[in-house]
Amino acid sequence: MAYWLIKLVFFSICIATAFTGIARASDPDILFDYILPENATSVDGNFFTYTNLRELFEEDPKSMAASMAEFPALNGQSVSVSVLRLPPGAVSAPHARPRATGLFFVLEGRVEVGFVDTTNKLYTQSLETGDMFIFPKGLVHYQYNPDSNNPATAVAAFGSASAATVSVPTSLFGTDVDDVVLAKSFKTDVATIRKLKAGLGGKAAGDRKLH
């Protein structure tokens, strides 16, 4: 318990420092102290309190988020947090956060990370417990736990109350993007595309001619 507490305190200091720089550049400023939920005329301290992250102190914490969707008081405040729990050998598939920069802090274990910039250059790093890494806003990135025996836990701070996530595999192969379009884009055949879609639970789109 004490070990986790020390890590969380350190992270709190890091996140406070990060927000002073990145939070101002994303969500638009609001003209009020805070934004009330629809149809609400007043709130108490409970509105500004989020307790779900208590699970971090459990023996086997899980991935979780504290964004505007889970914590409505964040609306207009330009901040949110995500906790990533990677079991041994697990990967957080390539994805992008279109609305916010991400400041990634490893609480436990090892995490290999990488992102691709707009020139298609890949930047990678192997992070240890206590290391931090920045994921620039909107760029495709990933996280991977290379340890086959031990889990890894990290926290990401965002300069947006709703950073959003665009998953590359799901967006391409878990939706109804035409099979022929994908086959031509990846220089493969429709059968391969349909296997990928089936693995993600996507639907095979009909073979249509490209114009």
Side-chain angles (χ1 to χ4, degrees):
M1 177 70 74
Y3 182 50
W4 273 97
L5 183 58
I6 291 172
K7 291 192 288 187
L8 262 297
V9 169
F10 179 73
F11 170 73
S12 298
I13 296 172
C14 294
I15 198 174
T17 302
F19 281 158
T20 60
I22 65 176
R24 298 174 185 173
S26 293
D27 297 348
D29 289 336
I30 58 176
L31 301 178
F32 310 95
D33 295 336
Y34 49 86
I35 298 176
L36 291 174
E38 188 176 358
N39 299 324
T41 57
S42 64
V43 293
D44 59 18
N46 291 322
F47 175 67
F48 302 99
T49 305
Y50 187 71
T51 61
N52 287 3
L53 293 184
R54 291 177 182 176
E55 294 183 25
L56 281 173
F57 295 95
E58 295 182 356
E59 185 174 343
D60 186 22
K62 300 176 176 60
S63 296
M64 61 195 77
S67 68
M68 191 173 68
E70 297 83 18
F71 190 11
L74 294 181
N75 188 11
Q77 302 301 325
S78 299
V79 293
S80 59
V81 171
S82 176
V83 179
L84 178 64
R85 179 71 168 176
L86 288 171
V91 64
S92 176
H95 59 281
R97 300 276 188 175
R99 302 172 190 159
T101 298
L103 184 64
F104 190 77
F105 174 62
V106 180
L107 292 174
E108 174 191 33
R110 296 169 49 219
V111 183
E112 293 184 0
V113 299
F115 71 84
V116 181
D117 69 12
T118 54
T119 67
N120 288 327
K121 182 176 179 179
L122 173 65
Y123 297 84
T124 63
Q125 189 59 267
S126 181
L127 305 177
E128 303 288 339
T129 300
D131 290 346
M132 298 175 68
F133 191 82
I134 194 84
F135 292 113
K137 179 179 178 179
L139 298 185
V140 173
H141 57 278
Y142 65 86
Q143 297 97 8
Y144 166 59
N145 178 8
D147 195 318
S148 59
N149 298 311
N150 301 299
T153 306
V155 179
F158 304 107
S160 171
S162 181
T165 302
V166 178
S167 169
V168 174
T170 302
S171 296
L172 293 175
F173 302 108
T175 59
D176 292 327
V177 177
D178 190 271
D179 299 334
V180 175
V181 171
L182 292 174
K184 289 183 176 292
S185 298
F186 286 91
K187 302 185 185 306
T188 186
D189 53 71
V190 169
T192 299
I193 295 298
R194 288 180 174 171
K195 287 181 180 179
L196 291 169
K197 283 191 170 185
L200 289 171
K203 299 178 181 178
D207 296 342
R208 296 196 294 269
K209 292 183 179 180
L210 300 180
H211 299 283

